[in-house]
Amino acid sequence: MQTNANTPLITNKLLAELTMPNAQAVLGDWDDEARAILAVAIPEMAAELMQRRGFLCIAIHPEAAQQSVERARAVIRTQNPIAARTLMAACQTLMMHSPDAAEQLAAKDIITEMEAAA
């Protein structure tokens, strides 16, 4: 959702505004414009946060990240039926921790297909 690699769609100014909601916002009373902004902002912010958490995890515990990738690969490659939630978690793990760009893309494709089917 970024406009280019260096300019995020959700600016630091908007993030600062969202950290200090007014009384109406605190009560969940958002106007139409705010709801539209949040509809775009929340997925981008969540994706950025997940990516940063993944990088932090790898930096602090690279062996744990590698073990997570190996477990996720085992889930995906199993011949046994697996729950959708388990498959989704395995794909998210691969998207965050796999060093293989093709594997990350395949995991993203699986998630996209699962969301479309839901």
Side-chain angles (χ1 to χ4, degrees), residues 1-12 44 48 52:
M1 295 201 119
Q2 293 185 352
T3 54
N4 67 43
N6 297 322
T7 307
L9 182 61
I10 307 308
T11 64
N12 288 342
E44 182 173 324
E48 182 178 336
R52 289 179 184 269

Side-chain angles (χ1 to χ4, degrees), residues 2 11 16 26 41 53 61-62 64 70 75 105 110 116:
Q2 293 185 352
T11 64
V26 170
R53 285 181 178 178
H61 304 288
E70 290 169 10
V75 165
L105 183 59
I110 291 169

Side-chain angles (χ1 to χ4, degrees), residues 65-102:
Q66 181 57 37
Q67 290 171 358
S68 293
V69 167
E70 290 169 10
R71 283 192 303 273
R73 287 175 179 155
V75 165
I76 290 173
R77 293 179 180 147
T78 186
Q79 296 297 317
N80 301 323
I82 55 173
R85 175 183 277 167
T86 303
L87 179 58
M88 180 73 77
C91 289
Q92 289 171 336
T93 296
L94 291 176
M95 284 178 53
M96 287 190 339
H97 300 297
S98 176
D100 184 343

Side-chain angles (χ1 to χ4, degrees), residues 2 8 12 15 45-59 96-97:
Q2 293 185 352
N12 288 342
L15 288 174
M45 289 185 296
E48 182 178 336
L49 181 58
M50 286 181 62
Q51 182 181 41
R52 289 179 184 269
R53 285 181 178 178
F55 290 148
L56 181 61
C57 178
I58 290 170
M96 287 190 339
H97 300 297

